Amino acid sequence: MEFYIPTETGEFLAFSGAVAALLLGLVGLFAPRLSLKFNGLQLRDGSTEGCAAARSLGGFHAGLALCAIMVAQDWTYLAVGSAFALAAFGRILSMMSDASFGWKGLLLLLVQLLLAMLPLAHVFGFV
C-alpha cells in the first residue's frame, strides 16, 4: 500500500481535516494531562482513571483519522466528519442544558465544526 496525498481541492480538505483529527488524537494519546488541562478537567489525587480515559479517547480519534488517511475513501471521510458533527452536537447540547457556555467551549465547538465540515463537504460534493 502506498501513501496517498490528494491533489483535488475537496479531497485535500477532507485529508487535512483527518490529519488535524489525527494530531489532536495523538495529543490526547501521548499527553493526556495536557489534553485534560486544556479542557478544564482535573485529576483526583491518586486516581489514574482520568488519564486512561483521555488516552483511550485520543487513541480512538487518532485511529479513526489514521484509517481515513490510509484508506482515502469517501466512506472513511464520512465516518470522521459524522463523528465530529455528533461531537459538536453534543457540545451544543451541553452549552444549552448544562450551562457550560464560555469562550473555551465556543472555541472547541468551532474546531469540532471545522473538523466535521472539511470531510463532509468533500463527501457530499460541496467542494
Side-chain angles (χ1 to χ4, degrees), residues 33-120:
R33 293 180 194 278
L34 176 67
S35 178
L36 290 170
K37 185 177 180 180
F38 182 76
N39 284 305
L41 301 172
Q42 296 178 359
L43 296 174
R44 274 192 320 199
D45 292 334
S47 176
T48 58
E49 293 158 356
C51 280
R55 284 185 197 276
S56 177
L57 188 59
F60 180 80
H61 283 95
L64 181 63
L66 186 61
C67 176
I69 291 168
M70 297 307 290
V71 176
Q73 296 292 317
D74 285 352
W75 54 273
T76 57
Y77 291 132
L78 177 65
V80 172
S82 62
F84 276 103
L86 284 173
F89 178 69
R91 186 165 299 276
I92 291 169
L93 282 178
S94 179
M95 286 178 168
M96 292 185 335
S97 61
D98 303 330
S100 65
F101 192 83
W103 69 269
K104 192 181 286 188
L106 280 175
L107 176 66
L108 291 172
L109 174 63
L110 292 176
V111 168
Q112 287 174 330
L113 287 173
L114 179 67
L115 289 176
M117 287 188 319
L118 289 175
L120 292 178

Side-chain angles (χ1 to χ4, degrees), residues 12-38:
F12 184 74
L13 290 175
F15 177 84
S16 300
V19 168
L22 173 66
L23 294 175
L24 289 173
L26 289 175
V27 168
L29 184 63
F30 292 111
R33 293 180 194 278
L34 176 67
S35 178
L36 290 170
K37 185 177 180 180
F38 182 76

